[in-house]
């Protein structure tokens, strides 16, 4: 895995050992960031959250493209170690924080411009991730949520607007405007 564009373009990323996580592949990330760039124009100055962060590739890609700050949420020990390694290697400690706990325990009060969620592929997982974002207040009016689910898996927008859906390989990418 590598950073696709921006300040850290081409830099390799550590990935969690074992099969407990499923990192978003380069092709899927490239498609996702192309979809986002065409709608957002720029990532400059954005506050981003990377939920079910795995290696942290989505949040780090956003930082590489100009996001101001990224919050990573992950509970798997191997993934937490990979995120820490990647943040240190990219010297991104002053532009990021890692919350080592479940997405179900998001602290109330934080809010973000762009949220990534790549939950384990299971029926309803994308809808549940969006529910967590909304109930915690992390997704505020006007923010964007990029949710990766299994190919063909629909996300219930829960009163928000689905701006785009695209199947890429084994994944479905859903962009939601809150």
């Amino acid at each position: 895995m590598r950073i696709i564009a921006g300040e850290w373009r081409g830099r390799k990323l550590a990935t969690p050992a074992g099969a407990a996580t499923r990192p978003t592949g380069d092709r899927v990330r490239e498609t996702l960031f192309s979809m986002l760039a065409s709608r957002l124009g720029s990532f400059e100055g954005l506050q981003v959250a990377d939920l079910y962060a795995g290696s942290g590739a989505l949040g780090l890609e956003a930082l590489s493209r100009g996001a101001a700050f990224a919050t990573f949420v992950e509970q798997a020990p191997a993934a937490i170690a990979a995120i820490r390694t990647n943040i240190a290697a990219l010297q991104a400690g002053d532009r990021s924080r890692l919350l080592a706990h479940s997405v179900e325990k998001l602290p109330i009060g934080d809010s973000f411009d762009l949220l990534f969620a790549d939950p384990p592929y299971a029926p309803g997982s994308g809808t549940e991730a969006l529910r967590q974002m909304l109930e915690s207040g992390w997704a505020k009016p006007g923010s964007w949520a990029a949710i990766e689910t299994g190919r063909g898996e629909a996300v219930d927008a829960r009163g928000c607007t689905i701006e785009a859906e695209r199947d890429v390989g084994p994944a479905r990418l859903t962009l939601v405007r809150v």
Side-chain angles (χ1 to χ4, degrees):
M1 289 193 60
R2 62 184 175 77
I3 298 288
I4 296 163
E7 174 184 356
W8 302 317
R9 182 175 191 255
R11 297 282 299 269
K12 292 193 183 283
L13 296 173
T15 56
T21 61
R22 175 195 30 77
T24 301
D26 291 353
R27 181 172 157 237
V28 175
R29 267 186 299 118
E30 193 165 356
T31 300
L32 173 60
F33 276 86
S34 176
M35 291 168 67
L36 287 167
S38 70
R39 287 159 179 84
L40 300 173
S42 167
F43 295 90
E44 290 296 321
L46 296 180
Q47 300 287 320
V48 302
D50 187 348
L51 311 179
Y52 311 94
S55 66
L58 296 173
L60 292 168
E61 183 74 39
L63 286 174
S64 181
R65 294 173 184 236
F69 197 86
T71 297
F72 301 91
V73 180
E74 180 56 65
Q75 67 179 358
I80 291 167
I83 294 166
R84 285 187 176 132
T85 297
N86 290 330
I87 289 171
L90 298 170
Q91 299 178 341
D94 61 335
R95 296 172 54 199
S96 62
R97 73 176 170 158
L98 171 60
L99 301 178
H101 59 68
S102 165
V103 170
E104 287 74 35
K105 296 180 181 178
L106 296 177
I108 303 297
D110 289 341
S111 63
F112 299 88
D113 303 303
L114 174 61
L115 299 100
F116 299 102
D118 184 7
Y121 288 178
S125 64
T127 299
E128 177 60 20
L130 181 59
R131 184 185 70 75
Q132 293 292 339
M133 291 180 223
L134 293 169
E135 287 184 3
S136 67
W138 280 36
K140 61 186 179 184
S143 63
W144 289 83
I147 303 169
E148 180 181 339
T149 57
R151 183 178 189 88
E153 175 79 24
V155 173
D156 177 352
R158 307 186 69 81
C160 301
T161 303
I162 293 180
E163 293 286 340
E165 292 177 302
R166 184 169 302 153
D167 289 331
V168 183
R172 170 167 281 183
L173 301 172
T174 304
L175 298 184
V176 178
R177 183 69 185 223
V178 179

